[in-house]
Amino acid sequence: MRSEEFYIESFLEYLLDVRGYSDATVETYEIALRQMAEVSHFYEESGEWVLDITPFRFTIVKNSKKTIVKKLSAVRSFVAYLEDQCHLSVKLIADESIKVPQSLPKPIEERYIVEVLAKADLEEKLLISMLYGLGLRISELSTLKLEDIKENWIQIHGKGSKVRELPLLQELKRLIGLYRDSYVPKKYLFEKGNAPMNAAQLRYKLTKCFKREGLKATPHQLRHSFATHLLDHGARIADVSELLGHETMATTQIYTKLGSVKKMQEYMKAHPLADIKHHPSEE
């Protein structure tokens, strides 16, 4: 067995047994590393191991940028394992980063959300209003307990066990009150039987509600809409970042890019010169 094959086997076992990665995740790592090992050069030089993945980079050049990023990430994790766990000094060649273009989110226009809300039943109204009024993730709404809803604040348990407190709009307070009186939930805001409705159940209710009005919508789009519309109406990016539960403002800045694109489109439509079909002839 070649040295790189031995270390790859060892690394995969480490991911399974020590790091507790799922079989599917380890299989993804294995596919990338086997492909890398087939064409790359792994050798020792002057007391240091060298891993030259230049041929591997040529092999995967036609993959999507996201796939390339994932495969390079697997290689970097492997090298980190060699250095940290096997105490080898490894020089990685041809490890330049690939920039993945960030796709801009597509918010739902305010007027469409208002139209759907006007025709929704009580449960649908509350579902839409919680996602759009608070910018929640669908997973956060699914696990929202009644005890986390205070008089004027609501406590959200987000990613990485991080907790944030959000102010309750008067309309949301009114809807929550009506909903609790009608549906009498016991522990979670949205329940089915004695268990919370899961994300898939809530997502289905939401998409069905918008579909009735001929619109496609996802919970994530409503979260995007929450952020975009706040920024469009003058909210500070730092405040929106905090409301969304983002770790850094850099994550929130994608919405400012969206606002810039929208403003440019509106400018191109509104400017007097935009309507001129031809240049006036010079006299």
Side-chain angles (χ1 to χ4, degrees):
M1 182 185 287
R2 294 187 307 173
S3 54
E4 65 266 33
E5 291 175 353
F6 168 79
Y7 284 122
I8 288 172
E9 288 289 346
S10 175
F11 174 58
L12 297 174
E13 288 176 11
Y14 169 77
L15 293 180
L16 274 172
D17 300 336
V18 179
R19 299 296 299 273
Y21 284 19
S22 68
D23 290 341
T25 301
V26 173
E27 186 178 351
T28 302
Y29 275 82
E30 182 174 12
I31 291 169
L33 293 176
R34 297 284 184 215
Q35 187 183 10
M36 180 273 296
E38 280 179 14
V39 295
S40 300
H41 308 298
F42 189 55
Y43 55 93
E44 192 175 6
E45 183 179 75
S46 305
E48 181 181 47
W49 283 95
V50 177
L51 177 56
D52 183 356
I53 61 172
T54 304
F56 176 57
R57 292 297 295 266
F58 281 116
T59 301
I60 63 175
V61 71
K62 290 186 178 179
N63 290 163
S64 71
K65 288 190 176 180
K66 285 187 178 179
T67 300
I68 294 173
V69 167
K70 285 181 181 177
K71 289 183 176 181
L72 291 179
S73 176
V75 173
R76 291 190 196 104
S77 296
F78 174 57
V79 170
Y81 164 79
L82 293 178
E83 293 181 331
D84 298 339
Q85 303 298 322
C86 303
H87 308 294
L88 298 178
S89 177
V90 182
K91 180 181 179 181
L92 184 57
I93 298 176
D95 181 39
E96 296 81 8
S97 295
I98 296 287
K99 285 189 177 180
V100 180
Q102 232 174 349
S103 57
L104 292 172
K106 295 177 182 176
I108 307 163
E109 287 187 35
E110 294 175 49
R111 61 191 177 98
Y112 292 142
I113 297 174
V114 172
E115 286 174 14
V116 171
L117 279 170
K119 297 180 182 179
D121 63 29
L122 178 57
E123 185 179 54
E124 292 167 342
K125 265 183 186 162
L126 182 60
L127 173 59
I128 294 168
S129 298
M130 293 295 287
L131 293 169
Y132 177 58
L134 296 171
L136 301 184
R137 300 177 178 95
I138 192 70
S139 57
E140 294 170 342
L141 184 56
S142 169
T143 55
L144 180 62
K145 294 179 180 177
L146 296 174
E147 64 186 31
D148 292 327
I149 302 172
K150 316 298 181 185
E151 178 63 24
N152 294 308
W153 293 83
I154 187 164
Q155 199 171 68
I156 303 300
H157 299 266
K159 284 184 177 180
S161 301
K162 290 186 177 178
V163 178
R164 66 187 189 278
E165 290 193 336
L166 304 176
L168 265 180
L169 301 168
Q170 285 302 314
E171 174 61 11
L172 265 180
K173 285 176 66 175
R174 186 185 72 82
L175 282 174
I176 290 171
L178 289 173
Y179 182 83
R180 293 182 71 168
D181 290 342
S182 299
Y183 287 80
V184 196
K186 297 176 180 64
K187 185 176 180 180
Y188 296 91
L189 182 60
F190 289 100
E191 290 179 338
K192 190 170 185 179
N194 294 320
M197 284 191 201
N198 60 39
Q201 290 169 323
L202 293 177
R203 188 179 292 108
Y204 173 75
K205 286 179 180 289
L206 177 79
T207 53
K208 184 180 173 185
C209 180
F210 275 83
K211 193 174 181 181
R212 283 201 309 264
E213 305 305 315
L215 297 166
K216 286 185 179 180
T218 66
H220 206 53
Q221 271 184 293
L222 282 178
R223 180 170 156 86
H224 285 325
S225 303
F226 164 83
T228 305
H229 296 164
L230 277 178
L231 290 167
D232 283 349
H233 290 293
R236 295 191 318 147
I237 190 170
D239 295 334
V240 175
S241 184
E242 190 175 337
L243 291 169
L244 288 169
H246 286 163
E247 287 189 14
T248 66
M249 277 194 292
T251 311
T252 318
Q253 282 172 343
I254 189 169
Y255 300 105
T256 63
K257 293 179 189 174
L258 182 69
S260 298
V261 170
K262 184 182 174 187
K263 283 172 190 170
M264 181 58 72
Q265 289 171 340
E266 288 173 351
Y267 159 73
M268 294 297 286
K269 279 193 250 175
H271 197 283
L273 292 179
D275 214 20
I276 293 178
K277 300 293 188 287
H278 59 275
H279 292 289
S281 58
E282 293 182 3
E283 293 182 3

